[in-house]
Amino acid sequence: MAEKALYGAVALVTGASSGIGAATARRLAQDGASVALLARRRERLLQVADDIVGIGGEAHVIKADITEPGGASAAVQDTLDRFGRLDILVNNAGVMLLGTALHTRIEEWDRMVALNVAGLLHMTHAAVPYLIDAAATSPREVADIVNIGSTAARTARPGNSVYSLTKAGLSSFTESLRQELLTEQVRVSLVEPGTVATELMDQLSEAAGDVACWQMDGTEPLRAHDVADAIGYIVTRERRVAVNELLLRSGAHNW
């Protein structure tokens, strides 16, 4: 039997309790990686871990709040304590709270910045030294950071101003980080999905949800496993190949 592409590699996936994060964790496990699952909902993480074990994989559950630097650092250390290395970081955790400047509470804007921006920065800062070490010691001779952005970084729409702000900033951060880590053999990639059928939509207010449904009327959204497949493709490329950016839209999506 051929060796799986990620055999011996260790991945840490944030926001792994549902949606894109859970689907990505399962996909990376199928490709042979041991996976650290990070989120706030331990019960949901345990369900994903059971799924991975059921397909012959190895998973480790980490409940943490990455909006605090200490939470992110502890999560990376927990991964190292369990698996001994870190080869892949998928920065997926995020929240989308839509609303206009007139009607949105400032706490909702702060929540998006705290998780979508600060949380990602905390995880990246904590993980980079170990990813560099993994690239130098792995048979694959490469490590990966995959950041999950959004088409909202490209197309701003009424009600998504701060969400678009967080994702547009992520795009620039990813490109700068990619250049910084080139010589360290750590690939940095950005995946920008359009609308995906996940729990992210469930967090919207009734009014914002109605607007989102109207915008997607007649369009079948992406599924979480569609995005997971894209991430799996990126991190299983041989060392000479770097997929810097991957834009995913529903086949009928016009923005």
Side-chain angles (χ1 to χ4, degrees), residues 130-159:
Y130 303 103
L131 292 166
I132 291 173
D133 181 68
T137 60
S138 167
R140 297 171 63 238
E141 299 182 314
V142 70
D144 288 278
I145 298 173
V146 182
N147 293 332
I148 307 305
S150 170
T151 53
R154 297 168 174 261
T155 307
R157 301 180 73 82

mmCIF file of all heavy atoms in Angstrom, residues 130-159:
data_model
loop_
_atom_site.group_PDB
_atom_site.id
_atom_site.type_symbol
_atom_site.label_atom_id
_atom_site.label_comp_id
_atom_site.label_asym_id
_atom_site.label_seq_id
_atom_site.Cartn_x
_atom_site.Cartn_y
_atom_site.Cartn_z
ATOM 1 N N TYR A 130 8.255 26.466 15.406
ATOM 2 C CA TYR A 130 8.155 25.000 15.334
ATOM 3 C C TYR A 130 7.879 24.531 13.908
ATOM 4 O O TYR A 130 8.303 23.443 13.515
ATOM 5 C CB TYR A 130 7.079 24.516 16.299
ATOM 6 C CG TYR A 130 7.360 24.977 17.706
ATOM 7 C CD1 TYR A 130 6.658 26.049 18.259
ATOM 8 C CD2 TYR A 130 8.374 24.398 18.455
ATOM 9 C CE1 TYR A 130 6.944 26.505 19.538
ATOM 10 C CE2 TYR A 130 8.666 24.846 19.740
ATOM 11 C CZ TYR A 130 7.947 25.904 20.265
ATOM 12 O OH TYR A 130 8.249 26.350 21.535
ATOM 13 N N LEU A 131 7.201 25.353 13.131
ATOM 14 C CA LEU A 131 7.010 25.036 11.716
ATOM 15 C C LEU A 131 8.340 25.103 10.964
ATOM 16 O O LEU A 131 8.621 24.269 10.096
ATOM 17 C CB LEU A 131 5.994 26.003 11.098
ATOM 18 C CG LEU A 131 4.559 25.857 11.606
ATOM 19 C CD1 LEU A 131 3.726 27.072 11.194
ATOM 20 C CD2 LEU A 131 3.919 24.579 11.071
ATOM 21 N N ILE A 132 9.153 26.076 11.301
ATOM 22 C CA ILE A 132 10.482 26.177 10.689
ATOM 23 C C ILE A 132 11.310 24.939 11.025
ATOM 24 O O ILE A 132 11.977 24.355 10.161
ATOM 25 C CB ILE A 132 11.194 27.463 11.154
ATOM 26 C CG1 ILE A 132 10.487 28.697 10.568
ATOM 27 C CG2 ILE A 132 12.668 27.447 10.748
ATOM 28 C CD1 ILE A 132 11.007 30.016 11.114
ATOM 29 N N ASP A 133 11.259 24.521 12.283
ATOM 30 C CA ASP A 133 11.986 23.323 12.697
ATOM 31 C C ASP A 133 11.464 22.090 11.973
ATOM 32 O O ASP A 133 12.245 21.229 11.548
ATOM 33 C CB ASP A 133 11.845 23.144 14.203
ATOM 34 C CG ASP A 133 12.612 21.920 14.700
ATOM 35 O OD1 ASP A 133 13.846 21.933 14.660
ATOM 36 O OD2 ASP A 133 11.953 20.945 15.115
ATOM 37 N N ALA A 134 10.145 21.997 11.807
ATOM 38 C CA ALA A 134 9.563 20.849 11.117
ATOM 39 C C ALA A 134 10.010 20.782 9.665
ATOM 40 O O ALA A 134 10.309 19.703 9.133
ATOM 41 C CB ALA A 134 8.037 20.913 11.198
ATOM 42 N N ALA A 135 10.063 21.932 9.004
ATOM 43 C CA ALA A 135 10.501 21.948 7.609
ATOM 44 C C ALA A 135 11.940 21.463 7.473
ATOM 45 O O ALA A 135 12.307 20.819 6.486
ATOM 46 C CB ALA A 135 10.371 23.355 7.038
ATOM 47 N N ALA A 136 12.753 21.754 8.484
ATOM 48 C CA ALA A 136 14.166 21.363 8.443
ATOM 49 C C ALA A 136 14.380 19.895 8.778
ATOM 50 O O ALA A 136 15.405 19.317 8.411
ATOM 51 C CB ALA A 136 14.967 22.239 9.411
ATOM 52 N N THR A 137 13.408 19.282 9.466
ATOM 53 C CA THR A 137 13.616 17.907 9.944
ATOM 54 C C THR A 137 12.688 16.882 9.309
ATOM 55 O O THR A 137 12.884 15.678 9.502
ATOM 56 C CB THR A 137 13.413 17.849 11.471
ATOM 57 O OG1 THR A 137 12.083 18.273 11.801
ATOM 58 C CG2 THR A 137 14.417 18.745 12.182
ATOM 59 N N SER A 138 11.706 17.329 8.562
ATOM 60 C CA SER A 138 10.719 16.419 7.987
ATOM 61 C C SER A 138 11.206 15.811 6.683
ATOM 62 O O SER A 138 11.878 16.472 5.885
ATOM 63 C CB SER A 138 9.414 17.172 7.721
ATOM 64 O OG SER A 138 8.551 16.408 6.905
ATOM 65 N N PRO A 139 10.843 14.571 6.404
ATOM 66 C CA PRO A 139 11.130 13.984 5.081
ATOM 67 C C PRO A 139 10.472 14.768 3.956
ATOM 68 O O PRO A 139 10.956 14.756 2.826
ATOM 69 C CB PRO A 139 10.535 12.573 5.198
ATOM 70 C CG PRO A 139 10.509 12.280 6.652
ATOM 71 C CD PRO A 139 10.253 13.583 7.330
ATOM 72 N N ARG A 140 9.373 15.471 4.269
ATOM 73 C CA ARG A 140 8.708 16.286 3.254
ATOM 74 C C ARG A 140 9.508 17.544 2.936
ATOM 75 O O ARG A 140 9.300 18.174 1.888
ATOM 76 C CB ARG A 140 7.314 16.694 3.746
ATOM 77 C CG ARG A 140 6.360 15.537 3.969
ATOM 78 C CD ARG A 140 5.081 15.990 4.672
ATOM 79 N NE ARG A 140 4.329 16.935 3.874
ATOM 80 C CZ ARG A 140 3.995 18.158 4.262
ATOM 81 N NH1 ARG A 140 4.371 18.605 5.455
ATOM 82 N NH2 ARG A 140 3.290 18.947 3.477
ATOM 83 N N GLU A 141 10.390 17.952 3.848
ATOM 84 C CA GLU A 141 11.242 19.128 3.701
ATOM 85 C C GLU A 141 10.446 20.412 3.516
ATOM 86 O O GLU A 141 10.898 21.364 2.880
ATOM 87 C CB GLU A 141 12.225 18.956 2.535
ATOM 88 C CG GLU A 141 13.164 17.780 2.697
ATOM 89 C CD GLU A 141 14.142 17.680 1.552
ATOM 90 O OE1 GLU A 141 13.719 17.797 0.385
ATOM 91 O OE2 GLU A 141 15.341 17.499 1.825
ATOM 92 N N VAL A 142 9.241 20.452 4.077
ATOM 93 C CA VAL A 142 8.416 21.643 3.959
ATOM 94 C C VAL A 142 7.383 21.624 5.077
ATOM 95 O O VAL A 142 7.027 20.562 5.596
ATOM 96 C CB VAL A 142 7.709 21.687 2.578
ATOM 97 C CG1 VAL A 142 6.638 20.609 2.465
ATOM 98 C CG2 VAL A 142 7.134 23.057 2.282
ATOM 99 N N ALA A 143 6.939 22.813 5.491
ATOM 100 C CA ALA A 143 5.831 22.957 6.440
ATOM 101 C C ALA A 143 4.850 23.957 5.840
ATOM 102 O O ALA A 143 5.157 24.646 4.862
ATOM 103 C CB ALA A 143 6.337 23.436 7.797
ATOM 104 N N ASP A 144 3.656 24.034 6.424
ATOM 105 C CA ASP A 144 2.601 24.850 5.820
ATOM 106 C C ASP A 144 1.809 25.640 6.846
ATOM 107 O O ASP A 144 1.490 25.131 7.925
ATOM 108 C CB ASP A 144 1.606 23.957 5.072
ATOM 109 C CG ASP A 144 2.167 23.387 3.781
ATOM 110 O OD1 ASP A 144 2.151 24.109 2.772
ATOM 111 O OD2 ASP A 144 2.629 22.234 3.809
ATOM 112 N N ILE A 145 1.477 26.869 6.469
ATOM 113 C CA ILE A 145 0.440 27.654 7.130
ATOM 114 C C ILE A 145 -0.639 27.914 6.093
ATOM 115 O O ILE A 145 -0.342 28.402 4.995
ATOM 116 C CB ILE A 145 0.966 28.996 7.660
ATOM 117 C CG1 ILE A 145 2.055 28.789 8.715
ATOM 118 C CG2 ILE A 145 -0.171 29.837 8.235
ATOM 119 C CD1 ILE A 145 2.736 30.092 9.153
ATOM 120 N N VAL A 146 -1.867 27.578 6.424
ATOM 121 C CA VAL A 146 -2.990 27.875 5.536
ATOM 122 C C VAL A 146 -3.967 28.766 6.294
ATOM 123 O O VAL A 146 -4.500 28.373 7.335
ATOM 124 C CB VAL A 146 -3.710 26.598 5.061
ATOM 125 C CG1 VAL A 146 -4.841 26.962 4.101
ATOM 126 C CG2 VAL A 146 -2.734 25.642 4.389
ATOM 127 N N ASN A 147 -4.183 29.962 5.773
ATOM 128 C CA ASN A 147 -5.110 30.912 6.377
ATOM 129 C C ASN A 147 -6.422 30.917 5.597
ATOM 130 O O ASN A 147 -6.410 30.965 4.364
ATOM 131 C CB ASN A 147 -4.503 32.317 6.384
ATOM 132 C CG ASN A 147 -3.299 32.431 7.294
ATOM 133 O OD1 ASN A 147 -3.189 31.709 8.282
ATOM 134 N ND2 ASN A 147 -2.377 33.329 6.977
ATOM 135 N N ILE A 148 -7.531 30.866 6.320
ATOM 136 C CA ILE A 148 -8.827 30.846 5.665
ATOM 137 C C ILE A 148 -9.388 32.267 5.623
ATOM 138 O O ILE A 148 -9.736 32.859 6.648
ATOM 139 C CB ILE A 148 -9.809 29.918 6.400
ATOM 140 C CG1 ILE A 148 -9.184 28.537 6.585
ATOM 141 C CG2 ILE A 148 -11.125 29.819 5.619
ATOM 142 C CD1 ILE A 148 -8.699 27.877 5.304
ATOM 143 N N GLY A 149 -9.442 32.803 4.428
ATOM 144 C CA GLY A 149 -9.980 34.142 4.211
ATOM 145 C C GLY A 149 -11.411 34.073 3.735
ATOM 146 O O GLY A 149 -12.191 33.222 4.150
ATOM 147 N N SER A 150 -11.771 34.962 2.821
ATOM 148 C CA SER A 150 -13.139 35.020 2.321
ATOM 149 C C SER A 150 -13.192 35.896 1.078
ATOM 150 O O SER A 150 -12.370 36.811 0.915
ATOM 151 C CB SER A 150 -14.069 35.607 3.391
ATOM 152 O OG SER A 150 -15.350 35.889 2.858
ATOM 153 N N THR A 151 -14.182 35.641 0.228
ATOM 154 C CA THR A 151 -14.410 36.553 -0.898
ATOM 155 C C THR A 151 -14.829 37.933 -0.396
ATOM 156 O O THR A 151 -14.783 38.905 -1.156
ATOM 157 C CB THR A 151 -15.502 36.000 -1.827
ATOM 158 O OG1 THR A 151 -16.683 35.702 -1.058
ATOM 159 C CG2 THR A 151 -15.042 34.743 -2.535
ATOM 160 N N ALA A 152 -15.196 38.033 0.869
ATOM 161 C CA ALA A 152 -15.526 39.340 1.450
ATOM 162 C C ALA A 152 -14.326 40.274 1.449
ATOM 163 O O ALA A 152 -14.489 41.496 1.546
ATOM 164 C CB ALA A 152 -16.060 39.177 2.868
ATOM 165 N N ALA A 153 -13.114 39.735 1.330
ATOM 166 C CA ALA A 153 -11.923 40.572 1.224
ATOM 167 C C ALA A 153 -11.855 41.256 -0.132
ATOM 168 O O ALA A 153 -11.208 42.292 -0.276
ATOM 169 C CB ALA A 153 -10.667 39.732 1.430
ATOM 170 N N ARG A 154 -12.531 40.698 -1.124
ATOM 171 C CA ARG A 154 -12.485 41.214 -2.494
ATOM 172 C C ARG A 154 -13.712 42.052 -2.829
ATOM 173 O O ARG A 154 -13.629 42.957 -3.665
ATOM 174 C CB ARG A 154 -12.398 40.049 -3.487
ATOM 175 C CG ARG A 154 -11.146 39.201 -3.353
ATOM 176 C CD ARG A 154 -11.271 37.910 -4.158
ATOM 177 N NE ARG A 154 -10.036 37.147 -4.151
ATOM 178 C CZ ARG A 154 -9.146 37.158 -5.149
ATOM 179 N NH1 ARG A 154 -9.368 37.883 -6.220
ATOM 180 N NH2 ARG A 154 -8.052 36.436 -5.072
ATOM 181 N N THR A 155 -14.844 41.727 -2.238
ATOM 182 C CA THR A 155 -16.098 42.390 -2.570
ATOM 183 C C THR A 155 -16.793 42.836 -1.292
ATOM 184 O O THR A 155 -17.416 42.022 -0.605
ATOM 185 C CB THR A 155 -17.037 41.449 -3.357
ATOM 186 O OG1 THR A 155 -16.335 40.926 -4.482
ATOM 187 C CG2 THR A 155 -18.281 42.183 -3.813
ATOM 188 N N ALA A 156 -16.675 44.092 -0.960
ATOM 189 C CA ALA A 156 -17.351 44.625 0.217
ATOM 190 C C ALA A 156 -18.823 44.860 -0.109
ATOM 191 O O ALA A 156 -19.170 45.322 -1.201
ATOM 192 C CB ALA A 156 -16.697 45.920 0.657
ATOM 193 N N ARG A 157 -19.697 44.526 0.853
ATOM 194 C CA ARG A 157 -21.127 44.690 0.650
ATOM 195 C C ARG A 157 -21.735 45.326 1.893
ATOM 196 O O ARG A 157 -21.147 45.268 2.985
ATOM 197 C CB ARG A 157 -21.781 43.331 0.348
ATOM 198 C CG ARG A 157 -21.204 42.657 -0.887
ATOM 199 C CD ARG A 157 -21.866 41.319 -1.165
ATOM 200 N NE ARG A 157 -23.216 41.458 -1.671
ATOM 201 C CZ ARG A 157 -23.509 41.697 -2.943
ATOM 202 N NH1 ARG A 157 -22.549 41.839 -3.836
ATOM 203 N NH2 ARG A 157 -24.773 41.798 -3.329
ATOM 204 N N PRO A 158 -22.909 45.931 1.754
ATOM 205 C CA PRO A 158 -23.535 46.568 2.920
ATOM 206 C C PRO A 158 -23.706 45.574 4.065
ATOM 207 O O PRO A 158 -24.171 44.455 3.869
ATOM 208 C CB PRO A 158 -24.896 47.015 2.375
ATOM 209 C CG PRO A 158 -24.704 47.147 0.901
ATOM 210 C CD PRO A 158 -23.717 46.077 0.530
ATOM 211 N N GLY A 159 -23.284 45.982 5.245
ATOM 212 C CA GLY A 159 -23.451 45.155 6.418
ATOM 213 C C GLY A 159 -22.264 44.284 6.767
ATOM 214 O O GLY A 159 -22.216 43.712 7.856
#
